Amino acid sequence: QIAGLIFQDPTLAAPVHPGYPYTKAEIIYAVRYEMAVTVEDVLARRTRLLFLDTHAALESAAWVPELIAVELKKEASWKDEQLSIFKELAKQYLLP
């Protein structure tokens, strides 16, 4: 299914973050087929990037809400709220 998404739209082969194997297609797949509905769902539960590299997850969170919002037909305010929620969550995983 992920390969099919990439075949339909090759831009979805782009990585979530340089140095990690997760792709934009995996985010779309998680939303469509695994019931992911938040940035936390994608970056913590599906890819585990939050736990592997919190800084990379925070950088990815800048644009991940857009992909999810398109799939779920959410408004701009939802994206801003998701980013804010995820940033607060990620703070708990940063070393002092």
Side-chain angles (χ1 to χ4, degrees):
Q1 297 252 359
I2 292 171
L5 291 170
I6 293 171
F7 180 76
Q8 292 172 359
D9 182 355
T11 65
L12 296 179
V16 170
H17 190 276
Y20 291 93
Y22 315 113
T23 64
K24 291 180 178 182
E26 289 176 84
I27 294 170
I28 301 298
Y29 181 87
V31 173
R32 288 184 186 175
Y33 304 106
E34 295 179 345
M35 297 186 287
V37 294
T38 66
V39 174
E40 179 184 358
D41 283 340
V42 171
L43 294 178
R45 297 185 187 97
R46 299 319 190 279
T47 66
R48 314 293 287 169
L49 188 58
L50 176 63
F51 310 121
L52 296 171
D53 186 337
T54 303
H55 292 286
L58 282 166
E59 291 172 17
S60 300
W63 57 266
V64 165
E66 177 64 33
L67 287 175
I68 298 170
V70 169
E71 286 298 307
L72 299 178
K73 297 174 178 57
K74 299 288 187 178
E75 297 177 2
S77 61
W78 179 89
K79 293 183 288 186
D80 295 339
E81 180 181 7
Q82 280 297 301
L83 182 56
S84 176
I85 291 168
F86 187 76
K87 284 181 177 180
E88 283 300 312
L89 172 69
K91 284 181 186 178
Q92 298 173 38
Y93 295 93
L94 292 171
L95 295 175

